[in-house]
């Protein structure tokens, strides 16, 4: 199984390669639009700031390549910033237009959870899967649903696309979006590549996924 | 709510792990890859690797070792030591680090914090704050480059400035407790907590299981451990079990 990992100069690509190796898949790390457009399966990783990431993706034509892969039905997994970039709009060091694949906007965690919330949200938080087509990506018990999060911003979107939420605490027990899914695109706010066995199982599910 | 965290803190020197006491008297503490693999297997929540000579020698951290540690673990990896440019931060991330810890280099040039935050996001920037507490209880920033306390800067102002500039997490080290097994300085943690709202990892002084429970009961959610995991028969599995049994929210 070949998995194309989108390289746009930001993010911890090495960890994604490592987890794919553990899952028995071959990672093809590339920033070439034609390779991405023709990929069998795609991971859009991401650590970094949205503005500079979007600028690189657009300058190199990777947004168009991803869009054509999406239109062909290629399974795509977005991770962390790779989830946030799929929204309509991202607010971080200014406002940026995202891919618009998911309705909604990305903004500071404080906007959802209130100013009392600890931000960034860093650590292992248990997610609550929403029953639906993406349920298979997550575990069936409490232990198997702990994932590692490391982010300052989160997505606010319509409930239809939400595949999992996470209670990040604070005064009003705020829930953030932990995963979204629509057609052949699934994206997670946490880092499966840094979530030990739970993350490995999610990656294996993605490798088998027929949306 | 994120679970409480236990984070092994590994000190790197010439490709080997070392452990010291109050930032001196370093002894050999094993092979980095084997040690990291063991911590990963035992359920450590993250790992911190600090190259302790890099900053003084004005060179990047040992990226070969970082890459090996990253390949052996599937938990977050924070790397520090001598990172003094955006390119060097990027090289660390490229080698498999998730977060960069800045201590001396940020003191030297505070703009570095915002430069790295802008490129990598503030969640990837950990600011190291090393505190020396005097016999009279006064707290001062400890300066690695001179090996002495910096009396001219109020550490809380530097802490707040670092977060304003873009640090997304704090590694708060009680220098005088390092390697002493005298327990965590929870008052230091709460002093810092009153100034910033980002996650804070407290380090320095871990020696017994009771001290870990006491620190968490005092409200410290993230603890870094050095000596306690190195020169003893303690391991993360045992520590997490004890903490969970004491009612602390640990990741199963």
């Amino acid at each position: 199984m070949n998995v194309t990992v989108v390289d746009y100069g930001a993010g911890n690509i090495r960890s994604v390669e490592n987890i794919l190796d553990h899952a028995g898949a071959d990672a093809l790390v590339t920033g070439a639009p034609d390779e991405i457009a023709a990929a069998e399966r795609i991971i859009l990783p991401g650590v970094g700031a949205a503005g500079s990431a979007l600028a690189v993706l657009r300058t190199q034509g990777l947004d168009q390549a991803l869009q054509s892969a999406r239109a062909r039905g290629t399974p795509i997994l977005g991770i962390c910033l790779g989830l946030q970039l799929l929204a309509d709009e991202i607010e971080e060091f200014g406002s940026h237009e995202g891919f618009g694949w998911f309705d909604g906007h990305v903004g500071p965690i404080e906007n959802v959870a209130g100013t009392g919330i600890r931000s960034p949200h860093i650590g292992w938080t248990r997610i609550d899967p929403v029953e639906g087509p993406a349920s298979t990506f997550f575990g069936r018990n409490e232990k198997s649903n702990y994932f590692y999060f490391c982010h300052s911003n989160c997505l606010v979107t319509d409930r239809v696309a939400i595949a999992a939420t996470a209670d990040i605490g604070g005064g009003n027990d705020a829930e953030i979006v932990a995963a979204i899914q629509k057609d052949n695109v699934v994206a997670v706010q946490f880092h499966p590549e840094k979530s030990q066995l739970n993350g490995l199982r999610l990656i294996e599910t993605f490798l088998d996924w027929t949306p | 709510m994120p679970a409480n965290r236990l984070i092994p803190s590994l000190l790197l020197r010439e490709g080997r792990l070392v452990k010291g006491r109050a930032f001196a008297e370093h002894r050999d503490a094993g092979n980095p890859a084997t040690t990291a693999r063991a911590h990963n297997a035992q359920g450590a929540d993250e790992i911190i690797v600090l190259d302790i000579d890099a900053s003084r020698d004005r060179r990047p951290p040992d990226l070969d070792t970082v890459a090996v540690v990253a390949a052996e673990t599937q938990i977050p990896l924070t790397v520090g030591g001598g990172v003094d440019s955006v390119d060097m931060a990027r090289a660390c991330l490229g080698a498999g680090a998730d977060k960069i810890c800045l201590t001396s280099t940020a003191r030297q040039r505070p703009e570095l914090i915002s430069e790295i935050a802008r490129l990598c996001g503030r969640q990837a920037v950990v600011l190291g704050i090393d505190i020396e507490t005097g016999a009279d209880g006064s707290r001062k920033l400890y300066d690695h480059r001179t090996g002495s306390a910096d009396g001219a800067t109020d550490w809380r102002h530097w802490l707040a400035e670092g977060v304003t500039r873009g640090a997304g997490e704090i590694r708060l080290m009680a220098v005088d407790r390092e390697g002493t097994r005298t327990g965590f300085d929870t008052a230091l943690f709460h002093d810092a907590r009153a100034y910033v709202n980002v996650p804070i990892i407290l380090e320095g002084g871990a020696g017994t299981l009771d001290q870990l429970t006491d620190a968490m009961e005092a409200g410290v959610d993230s603890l870094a451990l050095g000596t306690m995991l190195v020169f003893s028969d303690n391991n993360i599995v045992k520590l997490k079990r004890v903490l969970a049994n004491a009612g602390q929210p640990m990741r199963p």
Side-chain angles (χ1 to χ4, degrees):
Chain A
M1 165 80 64
N2 287 308
V3 179
T4 301
V5 181
V6 183
D7 182 5
Y8 55 100
N12 186 350
I13 296 222
R14 182 77 74 100
S15 304
V16 176
E17 284 183 82
N18 287 341
I19 194 94
L20 285 170
D21 186 43
H22 280 279
D26 295 315
L28 170 68
V29 178
T30 179
D34 53 336
E35 289 182 331
I36 289 162
E40 221 179 303
R41 222 164 266 269
I42 296 174
I43 292 183
L44 180 63
V47 177
S52 50
L54 283 163
V56 173
L57 287 165
R58 293 206 165 107
T59 312
Q60 301 183 357
L62 299 177
D63 56 334
Q64 292 304 320
L66 284 162
Q67 173 54 39
S68 76
R70 175 186 177 230
R72 286 177 55 227
T74 311
I76 300 175
L77 169 65
I79 297 176
C80 195
L81 184 63
L83 174 150
Q84 299 179 1
L85 299 176
L86 310 182
D88 290 323
E89 190 189 16
I90 301 115
E91 182 196 325
E92 184 185 20
F93 298 116
S95 179
H96 312 276
E97 192 191 341
F99 288 5
W101 295 2
F102 289 85
D103 295 335
H105 68 277
V106 171
I109 287 174
E110 292 89 333
N111 289 2
V112 174
T115 47
I117 196 73
R118 193 138 304 149
S119 174
H121 169 220
I122 295 179
W124 296 78
T125 302
R126 187 172 57 80
I127 64 156
D128 294 306
V130 173
E131 202 52 53
S135 303
T136 52
F137 281 89
F138 311 110
R140 304 209 172 274
N141 59 44
E142 186 171 316
K143 182 177 175 176
S144 56
N145 277 326
Y146 272 89
F147 290 93
Y148 180 76
F149 288 80
C150 190
H151 61 120
S152 319
N153 293 325
C154 63
L155 173 70
V156 181
T157 186
D158 59 315
R159 287 212 74 87
V160 197
I162 297 177
T165 59
D167 175 351
I168 61 169
N172 46 356
D173 286 334
E175 274 193 349
I176 57 157
V177 171
I180 49 178
Q181 181 266 329
K182 195 162 69 182
D183 305 325
N184 50 320
V185 182
V186 63
V188 292
Q189 180 58 67
F190 50 82
H191 289 276
E193 77 282 15
K194 289 287 169 176
S195 296
Q196 298 202 303
L197 289 175
N198 297 349
L200 179 62
R201 201 187 44 238
L202 186 145
I203 295 291
E204 287 171 344
T205 306
F206 175 66
L207 296 177
D208 289 338
W209 191 40
T210 319
Chain B
M1 280 284 276
N4 285 1
R5 291 181 288 170
L6 280 189
I7 306 173
S9 174
L10 312 181
L11 303 182
L12 195 60
R13 168 177 274 172
E14 291 165 5
R16 295 283 293 177
L17 297 181
V18 294
K19 195 66 199 94
R21 189 182 161 95
F23 281 17
E25 302 168 35
H26 291 104
R27 289 195 276 160
D28 188 90
N31 173 290
T34 326
T35 306
R37 185 165 58 217
H39 290 322
N40 181 71
Q42 291 165 1
D45 295 306
E46 304 196 14
I47 291 187
I48 298 175
V49 174
L50 299 174
D51 186 328
I52 56 174
D53 294 331
S55 200
R56 204 192 47 214
D57 297 348
R58 297 177 193 286
R59 59 164 173 82
D62 176 352
L63 292 182
D64 292 340
T65 303
V66 170
V68 171
V69 169
E72 294 286 353
T73 55
Q74 292 85 45
I75 51 177
L77 172 62
T78 299
V79 171
V83 179
D84 66 358
S85 69
V86 170
D87 285 345
M88 208 183 280
R90 210 200 289 258
C92 289
L93 297 183
D98 299 282
K99 299 187 266 191
I100 307 297
C101 184
L102 306 173
T103 309
S104 309
T105 51
R107 291 281 295 139
Q108 218 153 356
R109 201 169 66 80
E111 300 77 24
L112 181 64
I113 300 172
S114 21
E115 289 168 11
I116 298 178
R118 197 165 270 266
L119 181 79
C120 310
R122 70 187 183 110
Q123 83 295 327
V125 183
V126 181
L127 178 63
I129 302 266
D130 293 333
I131 298 294
E132 192 172 77
T133 304
D136 60 351
S138 66
R139 303 200 191 275
K140 295 192 175 79
L141 277 173
Y142 175 88
D143 190 330
H144 286 270
R145 294 158 299 173
T146 61
S148 60
D150 164 9
T153 312
D154 184 325
W155 71 276
R156 291 162 301 191
H157 291 174
W158 170 237
L159 170 70
E161 182 189 339
V163 170
T164 306
R165 285 183 182 274
E169 195 169 22
I170 303 296
R171 170 184 178 262
L172 185 62
M173 170 61 133
V175 172
D176 41 290
R177 298 206 185 197
E178 196 212 7
T180 62
R181 307 175 195 241
T182 50
F184 285 99
D185 192 343
T186 57
L188 176 63
F189 176 89
H190 286 293
D191 275 359
R193 180 83 286 157
Y195 272 73
V196 293
N197 197 29
V198 299
I200 301 173
I201 299 162
L202 182 64
E203 181 166 356
T208 67
L209 294 164
D210 284 347
Q211 288 166 352
L212 299 188
T213 313
D214 290 349
M216 286 194 177
E217 279 175 358
V220 185
D221 49 80
S222 302
L223 296 171
L225 309 172
T227 303
M228 187 171 178
L229 292 173
V230 176
F231 302 124
S232 75
D233 62 353
N234 285 310
N235 65 63
I236 298 280
V237 176
K238 179 167 141 193
L239 305 187
K240 285 182 106 171
R241 193 187 312 127
V242 167
L243 289 163
N245 287 342
Q248 293 302 323
M250 307 308 294
R251 173 173 66 105

